[in-house]
Amino acid sequence: MRFYLMLLIERDRQAADGELLRHAAAALGDWNSKPFEAGTSRAAAVLRGEGSGARITLVHPDFSNTDGRPVLSLSLAVRSIRSSETDIAMLFVNRTDTDEIVQQWEMGRTLSARLVEALKPMRAFMSAKPVDVEDTALPSQRDGDRGFPSALMAWTYLGADEVTGAQRDALSTLPVYLSAPLGNGWLLELTDSPLRKPEPGSIKAIEALAGHPVRYIAPIPPKE
């Protein structure tokens, strides 16, 4: 089975698509002391500020075969949600086989944290998506007023205005893989891999501090 890693970032609209893409690409920084590079001429133009577009592809020298062709790429995409005056920024790590998912998940965790600290979103969610599944369950763009969300993924970031001080104290004691401050907000990693289930009782504990039902969105199983 092959997966995409998928990061969904939601934030108040602050910039045009091209500017947000350039900001996000710069935030990725280096990997193994080497920078990510534009994967296409259009991506290069957008990064130079000479082109427009809502999606760019980035490649890295560590993820290329012997003839220089990329075996893994990153896609950054931006979509404006007019009804809620928010932007959705998405990072896709492409071409990930099941036996590589742990390695790529570690990269995704690192890059997602960098993006969150740079873009300061309201919320961010990361999980994996089988490539042969078209429909993807995602947390709603805005499920009600700001506050603790009603849906979580394996890697979930809550911005500064999404959790109260009392909730932060309770979050630090949750029975999950990682629950800790990140930037101005809070990072919840329910599992160490998107292919694992959360610990028994963790969702109930989260619901207790949220004050409402919370569902866990797992990677969609492949079609029969």
Side-chain angles (χ1 to χ4, degrees):
M1 190 191 311
R2 303 182 73 192
F3 286 85
Y4 292 112
L5 288 188
M6 176 179 58
L7 172 70
L8 171 70
I9 291 179
E10 184 176 6
R11 70 176 207 161
D12 288 321
R13 186 168 304 147
Q14 302 169 17
D17 290 354
E19 183 180 345
L20 181 54
L21 285 174
R22 287 189 289 275
H23 190 186
L28 292 176
D30 291 351
W31 185 257
N32 290 340
S33 302
K34 303 170 189 174
F36 289 92
E37 303 169 350
T40 65
S41 57
R42 185 172 68 84
V46 171
L47 294 179
R48 291 195 303 268
E50 300 171 357
S52 61
R55 187 173 186 132
I56 59 173
T57 298
L58 303 174
V59 294
H60 192 278
D62 282 1
F63 304 110
S64 300
N65 57 24
T66 54
D67 63 1
R69 297 181 61 184
V71 295
L72 181 146
S73 62
L74 303 181
S75 296
L76 284 170
V78 177
R79 180 162 59 96
S80 296
I81 310 299
R82 295 182 181 179
S83 60
S84 59
E85 292 299 313
T86 62
D87 286 324
I88 303 296
M90 290 173 283
L91 170 69
F92 295 92
V93 180
N94 304 319
R95 297 184 180 182
T96 301
D97 292 328
T98 306
D99 58 357
E100 298 172 346
I101 194 71
V102 173
Q103 176 187 356
Q104 305 309 340
W105 184 253
E106 288 302 309
M107 181 177 74
R109 292 176 69 224
T110 300
L111 298 184
S112 294
R114 292 176 184 175
L115 286 171
V116 159
E117 290 191 289
L119 301 181
K120 299 177 174 57
M122 297 177 286
R123 301 176 182 177
F125 306 90
M126 184 173 69
S127 190
K129 173 186 179 296
V131 299
D132 60 347
V133 175
E134 294 182 2
D135 296 329
T136 302
L138 288 174
S140 60
Q141 271 75 49
R142 296 304 306 165
D143 55 340
D145 295 333
R146 291 191 177 184
F148 206 95
S150 60
L152 303 174
M153 300 184 92
W155 190 101
T156 299
Y157 169 80
L158 306 173
D161 296 332
E162 305 295 293
V163 289
T164 66
Q167 284 177 327
R168 287 173 183 251
D169 292 338
L171 283 167
S172 64
T173 66
L174 286 175
V176 297
Y177 177 67
L178 179 66
S179 183
L182 175 62
N184 294 327
W186 199 272
L187 174 62
L188 264 180
E189 292 192 59
L190 275 68
T191 68
D192 63 348
S193 163
L195 305 183
R196 298 185 191 277
K197 295 180 180 179
E199 288 293 325
S202 61
I203 299 301
K204 289 294 184 183
I206 291 171
E207 289 178 330
L209 73 89
H212 56 72
V214 175
R215 64 192 176 100
Y216 173 66
I217 300 178
I220 301 172
K223 296 179 179 178
E224 298 295 336

